[in-house]
Amino acid sequence: MELPVIDLAPYLKLSAELIGDDEVDSQLKIMCSEVSQTLRKTGALLVKDPRCSSSDGDNDRFIDMMENYFEKPDHFKRLQERPLLRYQVGVTPEGTETPRILVDVEMQEKLRAMPKECQPSTPTGPDPKWRYMWRVGPRPLNTGFQELNSEPVIPEGFLGWKDTMDSWGHKMISAIETVAEMAAIGFGLPRDTFTSLMKQGPHLLAPTGSNLQHYGKEGTVFAGYHYDLNFLTIHGRSRFPGLNIWLGNGQKVEVKVPIGCLLVQTGKQMEWLTAGDCMAGMHEVVVTHTTVEAIKVAMQQNRSLWRVSSTLFAHIASDAVLKPLGHFAETTLAKKYPPICAGELVRKEIAITKRGKREP
């Protein structure tokens, strides 16, 4: 199954003419319904956003810089490590994140019931990938979750680091906010239902760095089967394939992000707000045959062998309460999603997948 590509340009043009709670016309509702239905059925969709055009070069500049960073010696990168802040800013070294599949017994039972061809790869230990967390957008002055809203960390010797990270990060946040508006309309909710909860959220530009020179063997698992704990995740195009996702029907799909497009996936916070109508999308990153072929090409062209993901996690504000919204609160599954602060849910999820010190 091919994921549909949603062009955001028509919505941006039509929605700009809306004022406040103006009635959304039928043309907009049809566009938005496609977004909500796709997220419901597959947990993912591809979008084309004129503000994130490939011709602007923002994604390429971002990946170039992150390749340069991840190629630095480990002792340099560890200077940006902040374990006391739950790794929510700065670098997360390889071997820190434990795939949920290794610690979640219920998930393991579900996987054993899957058809063989749909089962994920089995990791042998913690993920052998690095990650860098860069906060995007304003944070609240007062919060009960300070470690989730801490100041960013800037490595020495990288001129233009902040501008490069902020430029690409803000563009991806804009795309996420548009998808969130369209999803709300498609679900029959006010269009600011989700975006109002996202204000001052702990959004993170969170590229991963995977060393294909050391871990380039086919079958290597860089990110074991898991879901994301945030609201929506958005990915720019990576230079190396390897991302597999699972659709709502359990089908396993290797993602191919077309040039100029972005991939959006649902996270645990979206699942909470919709009482499970939109389940958090499951995915993994594995060295596949196509990854190996891409490695060969990169070696011939003398390019970096670090696989950098162009990833941003969009969050609900830490102090906002997660609970099923609108008509979702009336469903039989709503009781499975009791009210909880978004920041508290994030803390609980991090405690399962991150090793090292937990307390700020």
Side-chain angles (χ1 to χ4, degrees):
M1 174 183 175
E2 292 288 330
L3 291 175
V5 177
I6 309 293
D7 188 353
L8 302 185
Y11 174 83
L12 291 171
K13 182 177 183 299
L14 290 171
S15 64
E17 300 169 3
L18 293 177
I19 300 174
D21 296 325
D22 281 358
E23 179 67 21
V24 178
D25 68 21
S26 58
Q27 188 178 355
L28 268 182
K29 285 182 178 178
I30 292 172
M31 288 184 223
C32 297
S33 178
E34 184 177 7
V35 169
S36 61
Q37 290 300 319
T38 302
L39 290 178
R40 176 183 283 133
K41 292 177 181 177
T42 69
L45 68 133
L46 294 163
V47 299
K48 188 174 183 180
D49 190 328
R51 299 165 298 185
C52 302
S53 170
S54 58
S55 61
D56 293 341
D58 283 332
N59 189 43
D60 283 332
R61 280 190 293 274
F62 166 73
I63 291 181
D64 287 344
M65 187 178 73
M66 294 312 304
E67 285 177 348
N68 188 14
Y69 173 79
F70 286 124
E71 286 170 353
K72 297 296 183 187
D74 289 0
H75 66 82
F76 170 83
K77 289 180 288 195
R78 284 186 178 275
L79 295 174
Q80 291 84 53
E81 186 180 3
R82 300 294 185 271
L84 295 180
L85 298 177
R86 304 173 192 256
Y87 297 98
Q88 292 306 287
V89 291
V91 77
T92 304
E94 65 177 66
T96 303
E97 296 182 349
T98 301
R100 192 171 188 112
I101 187 176
L102 292 182
V103 296
D104 190 324
V105 176
E106 183 180 348
M107 181 181 289
Q108 293 168 2
E109 291 175 354
K110 289 180 179 179
L111 297 188
R112 283 193 286 270
M114 282 183 176
K116 194 72 175 176
E117 67 274 12
C118 295
Q119 291 181 4
S121 302
T122 303
T124 57
D127 292 339
K129 71 176 186 299
W130 292 73
R131 187 190 293 281
Y132 204 98
M133 296 287 210
W134 177 261
R135 55 176 279 182
V136 179
R139 296 297 197 261
L141 294 176
N142 298 301
T143 174
F145 304 92
Q146 191 58 53
E147 80 280 9
L148 305 181
N149 296 275
S150 301
E151 290 299 313
V153 179
I154 302 177
E156 290 186 9
F158 281 81
L159 295 177
W161 175 279
K162 184 178 187 302
D163 290 343
T164 300
M165 300 294 267
D166 285 346
S167 176
W168 186 232
H170 284 296
K171 286 188 175 184
M172 291 214 286
I173 282 289
S174 295
I176 281 280
E177 289 174 340
T178 300
V179 171
E181 280 191 5
M182 296 179 75
I185 293 170
F187 287 134
L189 302 170
R191 70 169 175 158
D192 68 344
T193 296
F194 298 131
T195 53
S196 62
L197 293 171
M198 291 171 62
K199 288 180 180 177
Q200 297 189 330
H203 313 308
L204 292 167
L205 184 57
T208 58
S210 305
N211 190 343
L212 294 170
Q213 188 170 6
H214 290 174
Y215 303 110
K217 182 180 178 181
E218 186 170 348
T220 300
V221 181
F222 280 121
Y225 182 80
H226 68 288
Y227 58 76
D228 291 338
L229 57 82
N230 53 298
F231 173 59
L232 289 172
T233 300
I234 188 165
H235 304 272
R237 182 182 169 89
S238 175
R239 291 171 178 168
F240 295 92
L243 174 64
N244 295 321
I245 68 171
W246 277 258
L247 308 183
N249 62 5
Q251 181 184 355
K252 179 180 178 180
V253 176
E254 183 172 3
V255 177
K256 298 178 178 67
V257 180
I259 294 174
C261 290
L262 302 163
L263 172 71
V264 177
Q265 290 181 281
T266 52
K268 196 65 175 180
Q269 293 172 359
M270 171 66 95
E271 179 181 329
W272 215 274
L273 295 172
T274 61
D277 192 59
C278 260
M279 296 295 290
M282 306 304 298
H283 51 286
E284 68 178 3
V285 179
V286 180
V287 177
T288 64
H289 175 72
T290 52
T291 315
V292 173
E293 293 303 307
I295 292 172
K296 293 177 182 177
V297 173
M299 292 177 68
Q300 292 170 357
Q301 297 176 349
N302 198 31
R303 291 191 285 107
S304 174
L305 293 182
W306 278 84
R307 182 190 186 277
V308 173
S309 72
S310 183
T311 302
L312 183 139
F313 299 131
H315 280 259
I316 300 303
S318 300
D319 298 276
V321 175
L322 292 174
K323 60 181 180 179
L325 301 174
H327 57 83
F328 294 117
E330 306 302 320
T331 66
T332 56
L333 292 178
K335 62 184 178 182
K336 290 181 60 178
Y337 301 93
I340 183 173
C341 280
E344 187 58 36
L345 180 65
V346 169
R347 281 179 177 172
K348 289 182 177 181
E349 294 284 338
I350 291 174
I352 294 171
T353 58
K354 289 282 199 304
R355 298 191 303 170
K357 293 188 177 182
R358 304 283 188 249
E359 297 304 321

